[in-house]
Amino acid sequence: WLKRVAVSVQARQWPLGQKHRSSKPPAEARRRSTAMGKTAKPERSGLAAGLNKGFIVTRREMAPKPSYAKGRKSQRNGLIKEVIREVVGFAPYERRMIELLKIGSASTFKRALKLAKKRLGTHK
């Protein structure tokens, strides 16, 4: 029964004013926007059930959030980190890892990874 209702509702041609809340043309309403490489959600079907359930509205393109820039290396931050590294130096576990990597064999490389995992919780 639900399938028949869904097919009959999808077959109807709704006027722009009744189905869309926006005054933009339908072609612009159907355009999918992607932010930060994410795939856009599929269009709403206008039905109350199903994968794409929901009222059909025009999606707005949102400005990127400032929190997305957190951790991005700028020239100023890079210089600050470099100065701090020169003044403070390496931590003891970092010095040990560097020594292990300088030897260059596969076993010492694995040992360095194990040390990083033990100290930091991960090496990825």
Side-chain angles (χ1 to χ4, degrees):
W1 174 81
L2 186 60
K3 286 182 181 177
R4 276 188 275 142
V5 172
V7 170
S8 65
V9 172
Q10 283 178 342
R12 286 190 197 148
Q13 296 296 319
W14 295 93
L16 183 66
Q18 287 181 5
K19 206 58 181 163
H20 293 276
R21 290 185 178 174
S22 166
S23 61
K24 291 182 181 177
E28 238 181 278
R30 285 193 299 268
R31 188 185 321 144
R32 293 182 183 182
S33 64
T34 58
M36 299 298 290
K38 292 183 179 178
T39 56
K41 292 182 180 177
E43 286 183 40
R44 299 293 178 192
S45 63
L47 303 175
L51 287 175
N52 304 325
K53 66 182 177 181
F55 192 82
I56 297 175
V57 293
T58 304
R59 294 185 185 269
R60 296 185 302 152
E61 221 171 289
M62 305 297 284
K65 292 165 65 175
S67 62
Y68 290 153
K70 182 173 168 52
R72 187 169 291 165
K73 187 176 180 183
S74 66
Q75 192 175 11
R76 180 175 181 270
N77 289 348
L79 180 65
I80 290 170
K81 285 184 179 182
E82 187 181 325
V83 169
I84 290 171
R85 180 62 81 177
E86 281 180 26
V87 173
V88 176
F90 291 101
Y93 78 93
E94 290 175 328
R95 283 196 295 266
R96 186 169 171 212
M97 284 178 58
I98 290 170
E99 286 175 22
L100 289 170
L101 292 172
K102 280 182 183 175
I103 295 170
S105 68
S107 61
T108 56
F109 182 74
K110 186 175 179 182
R111 188 83 227 139
L113 287 178
K114 286 179 85 171
L115 179 67
K117 190 171 183 181
K118 185 179 175 188
R119 295 282 191 263
L120 303 173
T122 184
H123 56 76
K124 296 181 179 173

